Amino acid sequence: MITLKSQREIEQMERSSKILADIHIGLRELIKPGIDMWEIEEYVRKVCREKNVLPLQIGVDEGNYNPFPYATCCCLNDEVAHAFPRHQILKDGDLIKVDMVLGLVEDGSVDVSKLNFDDAESMVKYQEEFRGGVADSCWAYAVGQVSDEVKNLMDVTRECLYLGIEQAKVGNRIGDIGAAIQEYAESRGYGVVRDLVGHGVGPTMHEEPMVPHYGRAGRGLRLREGMVLTIEPMINTGGWEIDHDGERGYVTLDGSLSCQYEHQFVITKDGPVILTSQGEERTY
């Protein structure tokens, strides 16, 4: 079922999204050659405890792993989505994508600092019962000095994100979003992942409608004021096909590099308003 969000719900998501955006800003300084990838997970958990924010990915039924055991998904180079954070040293030239879903607890019902994040089974009920402001965003980070191939992939993927968001306005259709992304990416020789898509958000993590990053303009559901969506294009330097590879999550089938950026936004009568913004758009 597709729901239009109230002003109260949108304001809740704004508050959660501000914390999530601040975490991504903090990761800009943390992520560098020589750090252990696990430090990213520890950093996110630390902020969640300090801000009384639930890391809503812990406990979710991801399909391949139930419950998912971590606050973040950390995807390296050819990894596309849902990869585990792990003890692995990042090296100069790597491309890492960090995805997370957070929920700010504002009613005092949960003291997040006392929860055992390492016990995913115990976290399931908090994930399933949370009905506050959900925030969802993924960002890509260059580790040290990266190749032109990585830089160009990051630039094209980020542009795909904003081209898609620009199409998310009242009266347009879901297909307009996907068509804008697909046309731009493929015109530059990149593959657009089809198996994983954007979605509605709030009061739960994944809701209708699904938002593909490919498609035909003028087709699909008509967009309405009050919808809150994510657009999260996963763009590959090679083909679009992916496969699942255990704790590495989804990986490109041909071993090519993959990049992802994701924002959560609300459709207003004046156009889309990005909730997870990290600053001036098309910059962050």
Side-chain angles (χ1 to χ4, degrees), residues 163-164 167-168 171-183 209-223 229 231:
L163 288 172
Q167 293 298 317
N172 273 9
R173 294 184 180 273
I174 288 287
D176 295 320
I177 295 172
I181 293 170
Q182 183 178 14
E183 179 181 352
M210 297 297 104
V211 186
H213 306 113
Y214 62 95
R216 296 179 61 183
R219 299 293 181 91
L221 178 78
R222 195 173 296 280
L223 302 174
L229 307 174
I231 290 177

Side-chain angles (χ1 to χ4, degrees), residues 176-194:
D176 295 320
I177 295 172
I181 293 170
Q182 183 178 14
E183 179 181 352
Y184 183 78
E186 292 183 351
S187 72
R188 281 149 180 80
Y190 294 100
V192 181
V193 171
R194 288 157 169 70

Side-chain angles (χ1 to χ4, degrees), residues 84 98 134 140 151 170 193 202 212 236:
F84 286 13
V98 183
V134 176
K151 290 178 184 176
V170 175
V193 171
N236 303 337

Side-chain angles (χ1 to χ4, degrees), residues 20-34:
L20 193 158
D22 285 345
I23 289 175
H24 277 305
I25 291 169
L27 289 177
R28 297 179 206 166
E29 299 299 321
L30 177 67
I31 294 174
K32 60 188 66 174

Side-chain angles (χ1 to χ4, degrees), residues 9-243:
E9 289 173 313
I10 292 168
E11 289 171 357
Q12 285 180 316
M13 286 187 273
E14 285 177 338
R15 292 190 289 273
S16 294
S17 295
K18 175 64 167 61
I19 295 171
L20 193 158
D22 285 345
I23 289 175
H24 277 305
I25 291 169
L27 289 177
R28 297 179 206 166
E29 299 299 321
L30 177 67
I31 294 174
K32 60 188 66 174
I35 76 157
D36 190 325
M37 187 195 299
W38 184 251
E39 293 179 46
I40 296 171
E41 174 75 8
E42 288 183 326
Y43 175 76
V44 174
R45 291 183 179 204
K46 176 177 177 288
V47 176
C48 286
R49 290 189 175 99
E50 291 173 348
K51 301 292 186 181
N52 212 46
V53 173
L54 281 168
L56 292 173
Q57 287 185 159
I58 301 180
V60 74
D61 181 357
E62 188 268 331
N64 294 285
Y65 288 93
N66 181 23
F68 189 80
Y70 301 112
T72 64
C73 296
C74 292
C75 299
L76 194 62
N77 299 326
D78 66 324
E79 297 167 1
V80 178
H82 301 181
F84 286 13
R86 53 204 183 266
H87 287 291
Q88 181 169 336
I89 302 302
L90 300 182
K91 64 182 187 299
D92 204 53
D94 279 338
L95 170 60
I96 188 166
K97 294 80 67 177
V98 183
D99 191 4
M100 70 194 82
V101 184
L102 305 179
L104 176 61
V105 180
E106 298 183 287
D107 61 3
S109 60
V110 181
D111 183 348
V112 175
S113 68
K114 291 183 168 56
L115 299 181
N116 182 4
F117 294 165
D118 291 321
D119 183 358
E121 293 286 351
S122 73
M123 293 292 293
V124 170
K125 74 169 186 173
Y126 300 106
Q127 184 271 327
E128 291 180 342
E129 294 174 1
F130 183 78
R131 291 296 182 271
V134 176
D136 185 2
S137 177
C138 177
W139 216 248
Y141 300 87
V143 182
Q145 296 298 313
V146 297
S147 66
D148 287 342
E149 180 184 31
V150 170
K151 290 178 184 176
N152 292 337
L153 174 62
M154 294 176 75
D155 288 344
V156 168
T157 306
R158 190 166 49 245
E159 185 66 11
C160 284
L161 170 68
Y162 292 116
L163 288 172
I165 291 173
E166 285 176 357
Q167 293 298 317
K169 51 192 177 185
V170 175
N172 273 9
R173 294 184 180 273
I174 288 287
D176 295 320
I177 295 172
I181 293 170
Q182 183 178 14
E183 179 181 352
Y184 183 78
E186 292 183 351
S187 72
R188 281 149 180 80
Y190 294 100
V192 181
V193 171
R194 288 157 169 70
D195 302 75
L196 304 170
V197 299
H199 52 87
V201 183
T204 55
M205 187 186 309
H206 295 122
E207 299 186 354
E208 293 292 335
M210 297 297 104
V211 186
H213 306 113
Y214 62 95
R216 296 179 61 183
R219 299 293 181 91
L221 178 78
R222 195 173 296 280
L223 302 174
R224 298 176 61 188
E225 181 180 356
M227 286 181 173
V228 177
L229 307 174
T230 72
I231 290 177
E232 45 190 291
M234 287 147 271
I235 307 299
N236 303 337
T237 54
W240 61 264
E241 297 88 351
I242 64 175
D243 196 6

Side-chain angles (χ1 to χ4, degrees), residues 223-273:
L223 302 174
R224 298 176 61 188
E225 181 180 356
M227 286 181 173
V228 177
L229 307 174
T230 72
I231 290 177
E232 45 190 291
M234 287 147 271
I235 307 299
N236 303 337
T237 54
W240 61 264
E241 297 88 351
I242 64 175
D243 196 6
H244 200 273
D245 185 22
E247 294 183 3
R248 295 182 68 227
Y250 291 94
V251 300
T252 58
L253 194 61
D254 56 12
S256 61
L257 292 171
S258 185
C259 189
Q260 180 188 12
Y261 288 97
E262 174 189 14
H263 268 319
Q264 176 176 321
F265 59 92
V266 57
I267 298 176
T268 77
K269 60 181 176 58
D270 299 315
V273 174

